[in-house]
Amino acid sequence: MYKLLGCYPTFWANIIKDRQVITPSPGSYSHIEALGKLSGVEVASTGNCSDKNKATCTSLEGMRPQTINTINELNASCKQTSSSCAVTITGGTEIGHTAGDNSHSTGYKFDTSDKNTVFTSYVTDLIKTQNGVSSVE
């Protein structure tokens, strides 16, 4: 599983070529609103639910617009490299994550599944390129 920050659009803009930095919007989305804003991205949970108060759910309740935009940008960029790339959100604003100002609970962070090997390779390559390293653990 990857823990990704949606609050740092310049990070992704620097490593996702030919993309623009999206200006953050104020406020946050309800779960349904956030789902409606996602483009070709799946949301999965072990509990098959979206209740923010259950750790086995994946909730997008309170997700920030910029975080949703970052997820969409990441998905679009990965799909440009391979049509079989798939981004699946497995962690959002539900309980069970570390608290903080820029945390899951405040809509800044999200987790993704590592089950799609194309996406896993894509993110690993992005991190290696951005950080100038030869491996990512």
Side-chain angles (χ1 to χ4, degrees):
M1 167 178 45
Y2 285 101
K3 292 187 178 291
L4 302 173
L5 295 173
C7 60
Y8 300 108
T10 53
F11 171 79
W12 292 113
N14 287 334
I15 59 177
I16 299 174
K17 303 300 182 204
D18 302 318
R19 295 282 178 198
Q20 298 177 339
V21 176
I22 302 167
T23 306
S25 303
S28 63
Y29 293 128
S30 70
H31 182 81
I32 296 299
E33 289 171 326
L35 282 176
K37 299 288 184 183
L38 289 173
S39 180
V41 175
E42 294 193 24
V43 178
S45 72
T46 56
N48 292 321
C49 51
S50 62
D51 187 337
K52 186 175 184 163
N53 297 308
K54 291 184 179 178
T56 58
C57 295
T58 299
S59 176
L60 303 179
E61 182 76 32
M63 192 68 74
R64 298 174 53 79
Q66 182 57 43
T67 305
I68 296 296
N69 291 342
T70 298
I71 295 166
N72 285 331
E73 287 289 319
L74 181 61
N75 185 53
S77 182
C78 187
K79 288 228 184 271
Q80 286 179 352
T81 65
S82 173
S83 62
S84 63
C85 185
V87 176
T88 302
I89 303 303
T90 58
T93 59
E94 69 280 350
I95 61 168
H97 299 285
T98 304
D101 291 339
N102 296 322
S103 67
H104 282 83
S105 65
T106 57
Y108 282 91
K109 293 183 180 179
F110 58 97
D111 298 338
T112 62
S113 171
D114 60 0
K115 293 189 188 313
N116 182 286
T117 57
V118 175
F119 177 69
T120 300
S121 295
Y122 178 75
V123 170
T124 300
D125 289 345
L126 288 176
I127 293 169
K128 288 191 312 192
T129 300
Q130 179 67 19
N131 293 310
V133 297
S134 60
S135 67
V136 177
E137 294 183 28

